[in-house]
Amino acid sequence: MPDLTMPPQKLADYLRKSNIALALSSTDEDAPLVLVNDSFCALTGYAEEDVIGQNCRFLQGEDTTHAMRQPLHDFVHGEGPDAGRFPVLNYRKDGTPFHNYVYMSRMRDRSGEVIFILASQFDMTGALQRSKVRKNDGTLYDALTDISQITREFGLAMQESSQLLADSVAVMARLTLDDPY
């Protein structure tokens, strides 16, 4: 029987190769990290050995509000859909704050039990300062909703943008859960 606290080797190799900052946690106890890639380390300033076994909340700091924390907490504890996007103010190892958009997906085994949470990290600090991303997100969501409605009339399907982003890496990762070794 495979060790469910560690990802299958194919999954680990795929995540490590990604240029997107990725973190994988188990669902045991306090959702400790079991894998982070080089992009995650570059984004946060932490080395892999500094973070494995810890919950990602170590990235939060004094200006990270309860309103930012609560949706992350709820997701990790199984509430809501299996994928989502969570804006949160995080801090690098050197104390520099950054606006992190965390895209998370629950990863289930064949029996349907959630065994991992995959988190993609995106530093949106510059984009928030330049373009008012939150307002644009609303406009984009409205446009995608309209487009989705139109495409359904032609028998096409389209996922919401946030879910698509959350699932983009997880799709390949989930395939490796069916063939773990």
Side-chain angles (χ1 to χ4, degrees), residues 32-104:
L33 292 171
V34 296
L35 183 145
V36 295
N37 66 5
D38 290 342
S39 296
F40 175 92
C41 295
L43 174 64
T44 65
Y46 288 93
E48 182 176 11
E49 56 271 10
D50 294 335
V51 302
I52 297 300
Q54 291 192 63
N55 181 292
C56 259
R57 83 173 64 82
F58 71 89
L59 292 170
Q60 298 171 7
E62 64 183 81
D63 290 330
T64 307
T65 66
H66 176 74
M68 292 175 196
R69 289 181 176 110
Q70 192 63 49
L72 293 162
H73 175 272
D74 292 347
F75 185 89
V76 167
H77 289 90
E79 297 178 30
D82 274 352
R85 179 183 69 177
F86 308 92
V88 62
L89 182 65
N90 280 160
Y91 292 81
R92 293 182 175 87
K93 186 175 182 178
D94 68 5
T96 307
F98 68 102
H99 292 276
N100 193 0
Y101 273 31
V102 181
Y103 295 85
M104 292 197 294

Side-chain angles (χ1 to χ4, degrees), residues 151-168:
T151 60
R152 278 195 297 270
E153 294 174 15
F154 295 98
L156 303 172
M158 192 172 115
Q159 296 178 330
E160 294 179 26
S161 61
S162 61
Q163 183 176 348
L164 180 63
L165 290 170
D167 289 342
S168 62

Side-chain angles (χ1 to χ4, degrees), residues 13 19 31 48 57 82 105 116-117 135 142 156 176 178:
D13 291 345
N19 291 327
E48 182 176 11
R57 83 173 64 82
D82 274 352
S105 293
F116 295 113
I117 297 172
K135 180 181 176 192
D142 291 343
L156 303 172
T176 66
D178 288 340

Side-chain angles (χ1 to χ4, degrees), residues 1-5 180-181:
M1 179 165 204
D3 177 5
L4 295 182
T5 61
Y181 299 99

Side-chain angles (χ1 to χ4, degrees), residues 105-158:
S105 293
R106 293 188 189 100
M107 300 178 73
R108 298 178 181 277
D109 65 11
R110 289 183 181 151
S111 70
E113 183 180 346
V114 178
I115 57 172
F116 295 113
I117 297 172
L118 176 64
S120 309
Q121 320 276 326
F122 296 94
D123 181 355
M124 296 298 289
T125 304
L128 283 171
Q129 292 169 347
R130 286 190 309 271
S131 66
K132 308 289 187 232
V133 168
R134 288 187 181 117
K135 180 181 176 192
N136 290 344
D137 273 356
T139 304
L140 177 61
Y141 177 79
D142 291 343
L144 290 174
T145 300
D146 292 344
I147 293 168
S148 180
Q149 176 102 19
I150 293 166
T151 60
R152 278 195 297 270
E153 294 174 15
F154 295 98
L156 303 172
M158 192 172 115

